Short mmCIF file of all heavy atoms in Angstrom, two decimals:
data_model
loop_
_atom_site.label_atom_id
_atom_site.label_comp_id
_atom_site.label_asym_id
_atom_site.label_seq_id
_atom_site.Cartn_x
_atom_site.Cartn_y
_atom_site.Cartn_z
N GLY J 1 42.54 44.88 -6.14
CA GLY J 1 41.78 46.07 -6.31
C GLY J 1 40.57 46.27 -5.38
O GLY J 1 39.77 47.13 -5.52
N ILE J 2 40.47 45.31 -4.47
CA ILE J 2 39.21 45.33 -3.54
C ILE J 2 39.77 45.79 -2.09
O ILE J 2 40.85 45.42 -1.64
CB ILE J 2 38.58 43.94 -3.51
CG1 ILE J 2 37.92 43.56 -4.77
CG2 ILE J 2 37.67 43.79 -2.26
CD1 ILE J 2 37.57 42.10 -4.94
N ILE J 3 38.90 46.64 -1.54
CA ILE J 3 39.20 47.23 -0.19
C ILE J 3 38.73 46.08 0.82
O ILE J 3 37.57 45.97 1.08
CB ILE J 3 38.50 48.48 0.09
CG1 ILE J 3 38.91 49.61 -0.95
CG2 ILE J 3 38.77 48.98 1.45
CD1 ILE J 3 38.02 50.80 -0.91
N LEU J 4 39.71 45.32 1.40
CA LEU J 4 39.42 44.23 2.20
C LEU J 4 39.78 44.38 3.67
O LEU J 4 39.11 43.93 4.55
CB LEU J 4 40.06 43.02 1.62
CG LEU J 4 39.87 41.68 2.36
CD1 LEU J 4 38.41 41.24 2.38
CD2 LEU J 4 40.76 40.56 1.75
N TYR J 5 40.83 45.17 3.91
CA TYR J 5 41.32 45.30 5.25
C TYR J 5 41.20 46.74 5.76
O TYR J 5 41.24 47.81 5.07
CB TYR J 5 42.92 45.04 5.35
CG TYR J 5 43.20 43.67 4.70
CD1 TYR J 5 43.95 43.49 3.51
CD2 TYR J 5 42.79 42.44 5.25
CE1 TYR J 5 44.30 42.21 3.05
CE2 TYR J 5 42.97 41.26 4.80
CZ TYR J 5 43.87 41.07 3.62
OH TYR J 5 44.14 39.88 3.05
N GLN J 6 41.13 46.82 7.09
CA GLN J 6 40.95 48.05 7.82
C GLN J 6 42.19 48.95 7.50
O GLN J 6 42.05 50.23 7.40
CB GLN J 6 40.75 47.88 9.27
CG GLN J 6 39.49 47.23 9.67
CD GLN J 6 39.33 46.86 11.15
OE1 GLN J 6 40.27 47.02 11.82
NE2 GLN J 6 38.14 46.41 11.56
N GLU J 7 43.26 48.38 7.43
CA GLU J 7 44.53 49.09 7.26
C GLU J 7 44.61 49.77 5.92
O GLU J 7 45.17 50.80 5.65
CB GLU J 7 45.79 48.21 7.36
CG GLU J 7 46.05 47.78 8.88
CD GLU J 7 45.26 46.56 9.18
OE1 GLU J 7 44.31 46.19 8.59
OE2 GLU J 7 45.69 45.88 10.19
N GLN J 8 43.89 49.12 4.92
CA GLN J 8 43.83 49.69 3.59
C GLN J 8 42.96 50.99 3.56
O GLN J 8 43.26 51.84 2.90
CB GLN J 8 43.23 48.76 2.52
CG GLN J 8 44.15 47.53 2.21
CD GLN J 8 43.50 46.55 1.40
OE1 GLN J 8 42.36 46.14 1.66
NE2 GLN J 8 44.27 46.04 0.32
N VAL J 9 41.96 51.02 4.36
CA VAL J 9 41.14 52.16 4.62
C VAL J 9 41.96 53.34 5.07
O VAL J 9 41.90 54.50 4.57
CB VAL J 9 39.88 52.01 5.54
CG1 VAL J 9 39.20 53.22 5.81
CG2 VAL J 9 38.99 50.92 4.88
N MET J 10 42.79 53.01 6.07
CA MET J 10 43.66 54.05 6.70
C MET J 10 44.71 54.59 5.71
O MET J 10 44.96 55.83 5.53
CB MET J 10 44.33 53.51 7.91
CG MET J 10 43.42 53.18 9.05
SD MET J 10 44.11 52.14 10.32
CE MET J 10 45.37 53.35 10.94
N GLN J 11 45.24 53.63 4.92
CA GLN J 11 46.19 54.04 3.80
C GLN J 11 45.58 54.99 2.76
O GLN J 11 46.22 55.93 2.31
CB GLN J 11 46.76 52.79 3.23
CG GLN J 11 47.85 52.14 4.02
CD GLN J 11 48.41 50.90 3.36
OE1 GLN J 11 47.64 49.87 3.10
NE2 GLN J 11 49.68 50.89 3.00
N ILE J 12 44.38 54.61 2.30
CA ILE J 12 43.66 55.39 1.35
C ILE J 12 43.45 56.79 1.90
O ILE J 12 43.59 57.80 1.20
CB ILE J 12 42.29 54.76 0.96
CG1 ILE J 12 42.60 53.45 0.08
CG2 ILE J 12 41.48 55.60 0.04
CD1 ILE J 12 41.39 52.64 -0.10
N ALA J 13 43.05 56.90 3.13
CA ALA J 13 42.80 58.14 3.74
C ALA J 13 44.02 58.95 3.85
O ALA J 13 43.99 60.21 3.55
CB ALA J 13 42.13 57.95 5.15
N LYS J 14 45.10 58.30 4.07
CA LYS J 14 46.44 59.17 4.05
C LYS J 14 46.83 59.52 2.71
O LYS J 14 47.29 60.56 2.53
CB LYS J 14 47.55 58.12 4.72
CG LYS J 14 48.91 58.79 4.95
CD LYS J 14 49.74 57.65 5.66
CE LYS J 14 51.17 58.40 6.03
NZ LYS J 14 51.93 58.63 4.81
N VAL J 15 46.79 58.56 1.79
CA VAL J 15 47.29 58.89 0.33
C VAL J 15 46.47 59.74 -0.34
O VAL J 15 46.92 60.70 -1.12
CB VAL J 15 47.53 57.57 -0.35
CG1 VAL J 15 47.90 57.85 -1.81
CG2 VAL J 15 48.61 56.81 0.36
N LEU J 16 45.09 59.65 -0.22
CA LEU J 16 44.22 60.52 -1.06
C LEU J 16 43.54 61.55 -0.32
O LEU J 16 43.05 62.57 -0.94
CB LEU J 16 43.06 59.66 -1.69
CG LEU J 16 43.29 59.08 -3.13
CD1 LEU J 16 44.42 58.07 -3.01
CD2 LEU J 16 42.12 58.60 -3.63
N GLY J 17 43.50 61.54 1.04
CA GLY J 17 42.83 62.57 1.79
C GLY J 17 43.70 63.31 2.71
O GLY J 17 43.29 64.11 3.51
N ASN J 18 45.06 63.12 2.59
CA ASN J 18 46.06 63.88 3.37
C ASN J 18 45.94 63.71 4.85
O ASN J 18 46.26 64.59 5.60
CB ASN J 18 46.01 65.36 2.95
CG ASN J 18 47.29 66.12 3.33
OD1 ASN J 18 48.37 65.54 3.30
ND2 ASN J 18 47.14 67.34 3.73
N TYR J 19 45.43 62.50 5.38
CA TYR J 19 45.15 62.21 6.71
C TYR J 19 46.55 61.84 7.34
O TYR J 19 47.37 61.26 6.69
CB TYR J 19 44.25 61.12 6.89
CG TYR J 19 42.70 61.38 6.84
CD1 TYR J 19 42.17 62.08 5.89
CD2 TYR J 19 41.95 60.97 8.04
CE1 TYR J 19 40.81 62.36 5.89
CE2 TYR J 19 40.59 61.33 8.04
CZ TYR J 19 40.03 61.95 6.97
OH TYR J 19 38.66 62.19 6.93
N ASN J 20 46.74 62.12 8.64
CA ASN J 20 47.82 61.49 9.36
C ASN J 20 47.21 60.10 9.78
O ASN J 20 45.96 59.89 9.79
CB ASN J 20 48.39 62.18 10.47
CG ASN J 20 47.26 62.56 11.64
OD1 ASN J 20 46.59 61.71 12.01
ND2 ASN J 20 47.26 63.83 12.01
N LEU J 21 47.99 59.10 10.23
CA LEU J 21 47.52 57.74 10.44
C LEU J 21 46.63 57.73 11.76
O LEU J 21 45.72 56.95 11.92
CB LEU J 21 48.62 56.86 10.67
CG LEU J 21 49.17 56.41 9.30
CD1 LEU J 21 50.53 55.53 9.51
CD2 LEU J 21 48.31 55.73 8.29
N GLY J 22 46.85 58.69 12.68
CA GLY J 22 46.06 58.72 13.90
C GLY J 22 44.60 59.16 13.44
O GLY J 22 43.59 58.50 14.04
N LEU J 23 44.47 60.15 12.73
CA LEU J 23 43.08 60.49 12.29
C LEU J 23 42.52 59.50 11.38
O LEU J 23 41.25 59.33 11.37
CB LEU J 23 43.27 61.85 11.52
CG LEU J 23 41.88 62.62 11.23
CD1 LEU J 23 41.09 62.88 12.50
CD2 LEU J 23 42.11 63.92 10.36
N ALA J 24 43.25 58.88 10.51
CA ALA J 24 42.80 57.74 9.62
C ALA J 24 42.24 56.62 10.47
O ALA J 24 41.18 56.04 9.98
CB ALA J 24 43.93 57.30 8.77
N ASP J 25 42.74 56.40 11.58
CA ASP J 25 42.23 55.34 12.42
C ASP J 25 40.89 55.69 12.97
O ASP J 25 39.91 54.80 13.20
CB ASP J 25 43.22 55.04 13.60
CG ASP J 25 42.80 53.79 14.47
OD1 ASP J 25 42.44 52.78 13.89
OD2 ASP J 25 42.81 53.88 15.70
N ILE J 26 40.67 56.96 13.31
CA ILE J 26 39.40 57.45 13.85
C ILE J 26 38.34 57.37 12.69
O ILE J 26 37.27 57.06 12.96
CB ILE J 26 39.64 58.86 14.39
CG1 ILE J 26 40.45 58.96 15.73
CG2 ILE J 26 38.24 59.56 14.56
CD1 ILE J 26 40.72 60.31 16.19
N LEU J 27 38.79 57.72 11.45
CA LEU J 27 37.91 57.55 10.42
C LEU J 27 37.48 56.13 10.28
O LEU J 27 36.25 55.78 9.98
CB LEU J 27 38.63 58.00 9.10
CG LEU J 27 37.92 57.54 7.69
CD1 LEU J 27 36.61 58.30 7.52
CD2 LEU J 27 38.79 57.96 6.52
N ARG J 28 38.38 55.11 10.35
CA ARG J 28 38.15 53.73 10.33
C ARG J 28 37.09 53.36 11.22
O ARG J 28 36.09 52.57 10.97
CB ARG J 28 39.30 52.95 10.38
CG ARG J 28 39.15 51.36 10.48
CD ARG J 28 40.37 50.64 10.97
NE ARG J 28 40.74 50.98 12.34
CZ ARG J 28 40.02 50.49 13.44
NH1 ARG J 28 39.09 49.67 13.22
NH2 ARG J 28 40.42 50.90 14.58
N ARG J 29 37.34 53.89 12.44
CA ARG J 29 36.29 53.46 13.58
C ARG J 29 35.00 53.97 13.33
O ARG J 29 33.93 53.33 13.48
CB ARG J 29 36.92 53.94 14.87
CG ARG J 29 38.01 53.13 15.55
CD ARG J 29 38.27 53.52 16.93
NE ARG J 29 39.25 52.67 17.56
CZ ARG J 29 39.41 52.67 18.84
NH1 ARG J 29 38.62 53.39 19.66
NH2 ARG J 29 40.26 51.88 19.45
N SER J 30 34.96 55.32 12.85
CA SER J 30 33.63 56.00 12.57
C SER J 30 32.88 55.19 11.55
O SER J 30 31.61 54.99 11.66
CB SER J 30 33.94 57.37 12.17
OG SER J 30 34.58 58.12 13.10
N ILE J 31 33.50 54.67 10.43
CA ILE J 31 32.80 53.96 9.41
C ILE J 31 32.37 52.62 9.91
O ILE J 31 31.30 52.30 9.75
CB ILE J 31 33.67 53.93 8.12
CG1 ILE J 31 34.02 55.26 7.58
CG2 ILE J 31 33.00 52.98 7.16
CD1 ILE J 31 34.91 55.32 6.47
N SER J 32 33.23 51.89 10.63
CA SER J 32 32.98 50.54 11.19
C SER J 32 31.83 50.65 12.13
O SER J 32 30.87 49.68 12.13
CB SER J 32 34.17 50.02 11.85
OG SER J 32 35.24 49.79 10.85
N ASP J 33 31.76 51.65 12.93
CA ASP J 33 30.69 51.80 14.07
C ASP J 33 29.43 52.50 13.37
O ASP J 33 28.48 52.75 14.14
CB ASP J 33 31.17 52.55 15.19
CG ASP J 33 32.27 51.84 15.91
OD1 ASP J 33 32.46 50.62 15.67
OD2 ASP J 33 33.06 52.44 16.62
N LYS J 34 29.52 52.80 12.17
CA LYS J 34 28.33 53.49 11.45
C LYS J 34 27.88 54.70 12.16
O LYS J 34 26.67 54.92 12.37
CB LYS J 34 27.23 52.58 11.27
CG LYS J 34 27.49 51.32 10.32
CD LYS J 34 26.43 50.38 10.15
CE LYS J 34 26.72 49.26 9.16
NZ LYS J 34 27.86 48.49 9.35
N ARG J 35 28.85 55.57 12.71
CA ARG J 35 28.56 56.85 13.25
C ARG J 35 28.31 57.89 12.12
O ARG J 35 29.31 58.47 11.64
CB ARG J 35 29.66 57.25 14.26
CG ARG J 35 29.86 56.25 15.40
CD ARG J 35 30.53 56.86 16.57
NE ARG J 35 31.92 57.23 16.25
CZ ARG J 35 32.97 56.45 16.53
NH1 ARG J 35 32.87 55.29 17.13
NH2 ARG J 35 34.18 56.91 16.25
N LYS J 36 27.10 58.04 11.74
CA LYS J 36 26.80 58.95 10.57
C LYS J 36 27.26 60.33 10.67
O LYS J 36 27.85 60.91 9.68
CB LYS J 36 25.29 58.94 10.33
CG LYS J 36 24.69 57.57 9.75
CD LYS J 36 23.32 57.59 9.51
CE LYS J 36 22.76 56.24 8.99
NZ LYS J 36 21.33 56.21 8.71
N LYS J 37 27.14 60.98 11.78
CA LYS J 37 27.53 62.39 11.92
C LYS J 37 29.06 62.44 11.74
O LYS J 37 29.65 63.41 11.02
CB LYS J 37 27.10 62.96 13.27
CG LYS J 37 25.75 63.08 13.46
CD LYS J 37 25.31 63.82 14.80
CE LYS J 37 23.91 64.11 14.91
NZ LYS J 37 23.46 64.67 16.30
N ASP J 38 29.78 61.48 12.40
CA ASP J 38 31.28 61.57 12.30
C ASP J 38 31.75 61.30 10.84
O ASP J 38 32.67 61.90 10.30
CB ASP J 38 31.82 60.51 13.19
CG ASP J 38 31.68 60.84 14.69
OD1 ASP J 38 31.40 62.07 15.02
OD2 ASP J 38 31.91 60.01 15.42
N VAL J 39 31.10 60.37 10.08
CA VAL J 39 31.47 60.05 8.78
C VAL J 39 31.12 61.19 7.83
O VAL J 39 31.92 61.54 6.93
CB VAL J 39 30.64 58.83 8.29
CG1 VAL J 39 30.82 58.51 6.75
CG2 VAL J 39 30.97 57.52 9.09
N PHE J 40 30.02 61.96 8.12
CA PHE J 40 29.67 63.06 7.33
C PHE J 40 30.88 64.23 7.47
O PHE J 40 31.23 64.83 6.48
CB PHE J 40 28.40 63.69 7.79
CG PHE J 40 27.98 64.88 7.12
CD1 PHE J 40 27.51 64.89 5.65
CD2 PHE J 40 27.99 66.25 7.56
CE1 PHE J 40 27.08 66.01 5.04
CE2 PHE J 40 27.64 67.38 6.95
CZ PHE J 40 27.17 67.23 5.68
N LEU J 41 31.26 64.28 8.76
CA LEU J 41 32.39 65.31 9.12
C LEU J 41 33.71 64.86 8.30
O LEU J 41 34.36 65.64 7.71
CB LEU J 41 32.63 65.31 10.54
CG LEU J 41 33.75 66.24 10.95
CD1 LEU J 41 33.51 67.81 10.64
CD2 LEU J 41 33.96 66.14 12.50
N HIS J 42 33.91 63.60 8.35
CA HIS J 42 35.15 63.05 7.69
C HIS J 42 35.06 63.22 6.09
O HIS J 42 36.16 63.36 5.50
CB HIS J 42 35.43 61.61 8.07
CG HIS J 42 36.06 61.44 9.43
ND1 HIS J 42 37.43 61.78 9.63
CD2 HIS J 42 35.65 61.05 10.64
CE1 HIS J 42 37.79 61.48 10.82
NE2 HIS J 42 36.73 61.04 11.51
N ARG J 43 33.93 63.13 5.63
CA ARG J 43 33.81 63.44 4.21
C ARG J 43 34.25 64.68 3.85
O ARG J 43 35.02 64.90 2.80
CB ARG J 43 32.30 63.21 3.81
CG ARG J 43 32.05 63.22 2.19
CD ARG J 43 30.65 63.19 2.02
NE ARG J 43 30.21 61.65 2.09
CZ ARG J 43 30.32 60.88 1.18
NH1 ARG J 43 30.63 61.22 -0.06
NH2 ARG J 43 29.92 59.58 1.31
#
C-alpha cells in the first residue's frame, strides 16, 4: 500500500487521472524535480 516506485506514480496517474503513460512520465518528472508550476497544472 506504499507508493515506493516511480512506475507506481505513473500507473496511478493512468488509472485514476486518465493519463496516457507519456504524460504520466512528465508528471513523474515534474514532481521529482519539484517544479511547482508544472505540478499545479498537473493537479
Side-chain angles (χ1 to χ4, degrees):
I2 290 167
I3 302 168
L4 181 59
Y5 305 115
Q6 292 173 353
E7 289 87 340
Q8 288 175 316
V9 173
M10 293 168 66
Q11 284 179 293
I12 292 169
K14 184 176 185 288
V15 171
L16 265 74
N18 202 34
Y19 275 57
N20 62 46
L21 287 176
L23 189 60
D25 187 44
I26 290 173
L27 166 65
R28 174 195 65 78
R29 282 191 175 198
S30 299
I31 296 174
S32 296
D33 296 342
K34 294 179 173 61
R35 298 199 294 261
K36 289 184 180 179
K37 287 183 180 178
D38 291 345
V39 174
F40 181 74
L41 177 64
H42 279 287
R43 185 178 285 272

